[in-house]
């Protein structure tokens, strides 16, 4: 149980285009979803926290207009990288949580974004 | 200085060895997570604990709240245990991630 599906797993796009990444909880309703970015050989960096039906809370230094997060339902959150640039190339991963703060996290398999 | 420090950064072990990865934190947290990240990038949550000890198969996680320290132990290690292990503390929606321990288990 508690499967999180993230799609696509890999995407290559040209500079200036936008890319949407989906994160779905398949067998549970996710109260909260988190989006992370991971640079090579580094740990996870939390980008934003999204709760269903409300605006995402972004971490300091993360541009909300560049990384648009929508959490339209209890099973789907999307991250759109707008006007992508090569420096946005990274590994993006989501996690979902059932219930409140001390509940386990369930992770997607990540999306490798390459901007050319 | 990171709020969460892990040691060692890299670890190579022979198959069958007992492995310990340590995590110390300097902030108040309500729960500590141990995560396993495989080479493809996918992450599996191994444990979430706020006190005491948890065991799942060959994996054991302990936490000492007073000392702000947690350990992840792997008994009878196997090459398939090779991965990056990340500890993370959270309070509410605030997360603090360690930099990870890269484990390689040699057959």
């Amino acid at each position: 149980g508690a499967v999180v599906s993230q799609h696509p797993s890999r995407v290559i796009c040209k500079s200036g285009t936008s890319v949407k990444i989906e994160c779905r909880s398949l067998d549970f309703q996710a109260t909260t979803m988190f989006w992370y970015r991971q640079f090579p050989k580094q740990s996870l960096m939390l980008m934003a926290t999204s709760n269903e039906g409300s605006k995402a809370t972004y971490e300091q230094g993360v541009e909300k207009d560049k990384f648009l997060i929508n959490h339209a339902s209890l099973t789907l959150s999307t991250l759109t990288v707008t006007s992508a640039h090569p420096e946005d190339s990274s590994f993006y991963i989501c996690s979902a949580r059932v219930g409140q703060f001390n509940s386990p996290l369930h992770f997607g398999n990540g999306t490798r974004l390459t901007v050319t | 200085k990171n709020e969460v420090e892990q040691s060692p950064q890299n670890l190579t072990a022979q198959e069958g060895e007992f492995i310990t990865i340590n995590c110390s934190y300097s902030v108040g947290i309500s729960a500590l997570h141990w995560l396993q990240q495989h080479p493809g990038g996918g992450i599996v949550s191994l444990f979430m604990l706020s006190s005491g000890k948890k065991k799942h198969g060959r994996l054991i996680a302990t936490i000492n709240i007073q000392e702000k320290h947690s350990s992840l132990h792997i008994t009878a290690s196997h090459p398939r245990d090779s991965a990056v292990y990340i500890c993370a503390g959270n309070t509410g929606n605030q997360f603090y991630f360690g930099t990870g321990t890269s484990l390689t288990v040699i057959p």
Side-chain angles (χ1 to χ4, degrees), chain A residues 37 39 45-48 57-67 88 92:
Chain A
R37 185 172 179 175
F39 292 102
M45 182 189 80
L46 180 65
M47 298 174 67
T57 302
Y58 289 81
E59 295 299 303
Q60 193 172 7
V62 178
E63 298 175 59
K64 62 180 181 182
D65 294 330
K66 177 156 190 68
F67 299 100
D88 298 325
Y92 294 88

Side-chain angles (χ1 to χ4, degrees), chain A residues 14-53:
Chain A
K14 292 184 186 284
S15 275
T17 61
S18 295
V19 173
K20 181 185 282 188
I21 302 169
E22 291 188 349
C23 181
R24 291 181 186 273
S25 56
L26 296 186
D27 50 2
F28 67 99
Q29 293 185 327
T31 313
T32 307
M33 288 187 173
F34 303 90
W35 287 96
Y36 312 85
R37 185 172 179 175
Q38 187 177 34
F39 292 102
K41 306 287 186 187
Q42 294 189 24
S43 193
L44 301 173
M45 182 189 80
L46 180 65
M47 298 174 67
T49 302
S50 77
N51 292 294
E52 183 262 342

Side-chain angles (χ1 to χ4, degrees), chain A residues 95-106:
Chain A
S95 71
R97 183 175 66 195
V98 179
Q100 291 304 310
F101 301 132
N102 286 348
S103 302
L105 297 172
H106 306 286

Side-chain angles (χ1 to χ4, degrees), chain A residues 32 34 36 38 41-46 49 51 59 91 93 97 101-105 107-109, chain B residues 30-31 33 35 37 40-45 48 50 86 90-95 97-100:
Chain A
T32 307
F34 303 90
Y36 312 85
Q38 187 177 34
K41 306 287 186 187
Q42 294 189 24
S43 193
L44 301 173
M45 182 189 80
L46 180 65
T49 302
N51 292 294
E59 295 299 303
F91 187 69
I93 193 163
R97 183 175 66 195
F101 301 132
N102 286 348
S103 302
L105 297 172
F107 288 83
N109 282 331
Chain B
S30 54
H33 305 255
L35 311 174
Q37 185 170 31
I43 292 177
V44 174
S45 177
M48 185 191 73
S50 52
I86 300 169
N90 84 278
T91 178
N93 286 335
Q94 180 74 49
F95 284 84
F97 289 95
T99 52

